[in-house]
Amino acid sequence: MDFATSDARTPLGASADNGLKIVVVGGFGVGKTTLVRSVSEIRPLNTEETMTQAGAGVDDIRQVRGKSATTVAFDFGRITLDARNVLYLFGAPGQERFWFLWDRLFSGTLGAVVLVDTRRIDDSWYAIDRLEHHGTPFIVACNDFGGAVRAGEDVREALDLDPQVPLIDCDARSRESGKHTLITLVQHVKNRYADPSARAGLPRQEYV
Amino acid sequence: MSRPGRDDAPDRLYTITQGRSRSGPDTPFDLVTLVVAESDPVTGMQSEHVAILELTRFPTSVVEVAAELRLPVSITKVLLCDLLAAGRVSARHPRRPALTDPDILEQVLVGLRNL
Ligand SMILES: Nc1nc2c(ncn2[C@@H]2O[C@H](COP(=O)(O)OP(=O)(O)OP(=O)(O)O)[C@@H](O)[C@H]2O)c(=O)[nH]1
Ligand SMILES: [Mg+2]
């Protein structure tokens, strides 16, 4: 079997010891991969996870042969933050079956960016609903597809967003804009959770 | 754990994990656990184990290992469990919970601003 890997692999420094996760979710073609690519230090890679309806991850191939197995593909990029911290950015589809895998794959995530195309706003309802259910902090970023004003109050209303959830514009093709989007998310997480008086509704943090 | 009998149909993924099932919370690996090789490959080793030891000369996340080997994450974790149990790799698990750790969040912000 040939496991030749890409020559372009950029290894992490030897002292890297803390992986962190941020997830970008959104409807089809909303710019998830584009955003990951804009800020990643590696070419986005993709992989998949398979699970049964019963909720167990499949690591016995006999289950995959059964009709009850579901496979979800996702892509990811990487940002070296400093000598120890490495941030992984995952682009994941917002469709229903994906959320079966949330706890298994994305528990312990710092937060999520919900990427929205304001011409197809209802594509994001389900993702927002699930994130709220999981207690994952998130922001909403309206991607620039050439329309006029995007991240307005009408969008907040259409998404029924809590007033404290940041709602911003972004251009997934721009590194600066992608960077700003991530900073907005982490600042929001810090404001909301790192303040000891505000630790309500914390997401579950178990390992899976 | 279950061992396949001789009559099991050959299948790539099944063969790789030798039919072992190690699902659930006993798997210590997170997607972003950083794996580091602690030894060089030796002759006779399963090719996937060799590939992992070569990939992880520098710290490499579980999800990168899965992507580079083109294997599902859970199959990759089974292979990593083998190597960890044999002392051939070490695992640097994410510090938890990052979400409520103001120091880590500040480090993330500084790192992002410096991009
Ligand atoms: N005008 C404009 N086009 C964009 C933007 N972001 C992405 N695109 C384009 O939109 C298309 C889809 O972008 P992707 O990044 O592949 O979207 P995705 O969400 O990963 O798509 P799926 O993984 O297929 O669901 C591509 O052709 C992008 O070039 C943006 O900010 N503005
Ligand atoms: Mg994509």
Side-chain angles (χ1 to χ4, degrees):
Chain A
M1 211 160 289
D2 180 16
F3 285 117
T5 54
S6 46
D7 296 331
R9 269 194 93 241
T10 323
L12 292 173
S15 58
D17 70 355
N18 190 38
L20 297 142
K21 293 180 268 196
I22 285 178
V23 185
V24 181
V25 286
F28 289 113
V30 77
K32 303 178 294 289
T33 304
T34 305
L35 176 58
V36 170
R37 185 184 299 115
S38 294
V39 292
S40 177
E41 67 199 20
I42 56 170
R43 168 184 57 87
L45 296 168
N46 50 71
T47 189
E48 62 179 45
E49 180 62 303
T50 305
M51 65 167 290
T52 59
Q53 304 276 304
V58 172
D59 38 27
D60 183 337
I61 197 66
R62 283 168 297 191
Q63 294 172 288
V64 179
R65 296 200 189 103
K67 57 181 182 297
S68 62
T70 298
T71 298
V72 172
F74 54 94
D75 46 27
F76 64 94
R78 188 182 83 196
I79 299 170
T80 299
L81 296 168
D82 54 43
R84 302 183 65 177
N85 293 304
V86 193
L87 176 62
Y88 287 87
L89 195 58
F90 295 93
Q95 84 259 35
E96 199 161 345
R97 60 189 176 135
F98 159 69
W99 297 93
F100 286 106
L101 280 165
W102 181 270
D103 281 333
R104 185 174 172 87
L105 291 176
F106 298 119
S107 76
T109 193
L110 277 184
V113 174
V114 179
L115 208 50
V116 171
D117 176 347
T118 50
R119 299 166 303 181
R120 299 180 287 144
I121 217 158
D122 43 336
D123 282 6
S124 353
W125 284 341
Y126 192 71
I128 289 173
D129 188 64
R130 298 323 295 164
L131 290 169
E132 285 172 347
H133 171 82
H134 285 276
T136 305
F138 65 94
I139 66 165
V140 174
C142 300
N143 204 7
D144 182 0
F145 287 100
V149 180
R150 285 165 287 131
E153 276 313 300
D154 50 335
V155 173
R156 183 178 292 279
E157 209 164 291
L159 291 171
D160 194 19
L161 275 192
D162 190 298
Q164 56 139 10
V165 174
L167 173 65
I168 61 171
D169 280 335
C170 90
D171 182 336
R173 299 161 298 181
S174 151
R175 181 172 168 85
E176 272 310 307
S177 179
K179 198 177 129 174
H180 174 253
T181 302
L182 296 181
I183 289 172
T184 304
L185 172 66
V186 179
Q187 190 66 59
H188 171 59
V189 174
K190 192 160 176 259
N191 294 347
R192 185 167 169 201
Y193 293 108
D195 173 1
S197 65
R199 286 186 189 175
L202 274 182
R204 288 169 289 158
Q205 292 285 315
E206 78 273 28
Y207 280 95
V208 286
Chain B
M1 263 225 195
S2 61
R3 288 261 158 210
R6 292 219 147 241
D7 292 332
D8 281 286
D11 177 291
R12 179 179 172 227
L13 299 185
Y14 187 74
T15 306
I16 287 172
T17 60
Q18 292 153 31
R20 286 157 304 150
S21 172
R22 234 178 267 186
S23 60
D26 58 324
T27 303
F29 292 99
D30 188 274
L31 269 191
V32 298
T33 294
L34 298 171
V35 180
V36 188
E38 296 295 340
S39 69
D40 288 325
V42 295
T43 46
M45 209 178 242
Q46 187 178 348
S47 66
E48 291 80 11
H49 287 161
V50 173
I52 291 172
L53 292 181
E54 281 170 357
L55 264 174
T56 57
R57 294 218 166 101
F58 289 91
T60 307
S61 62
V62 170
V63 69
E64 283 173 282
V65 173
E68 294 286 354
L69 266 59
R70 294 191 198 91
L71 290 171
V73 171
S74 43
I75 301 279
T76 303
K77 287 181 181 176
V78 173
L79 295 167
L80 289 169
C81 280
D82 292 341
L83 292 168
L84 187 68
R88 296 198 173 276
V89 299
S90 56
R92 302 174 183 176
H93 299 295
R95 287 200 286 281
R96 300 286 184 92
L99 195 53
T100 50
D101 185 331
D103 295 335
I104 297 241
L105 292 174
E106 189 54 37
Q107 288 162 19
V108 174
L109 282 173
V110 169
L112 287 174
R113 290 192 188 109
N114 287 339
L115 279 187

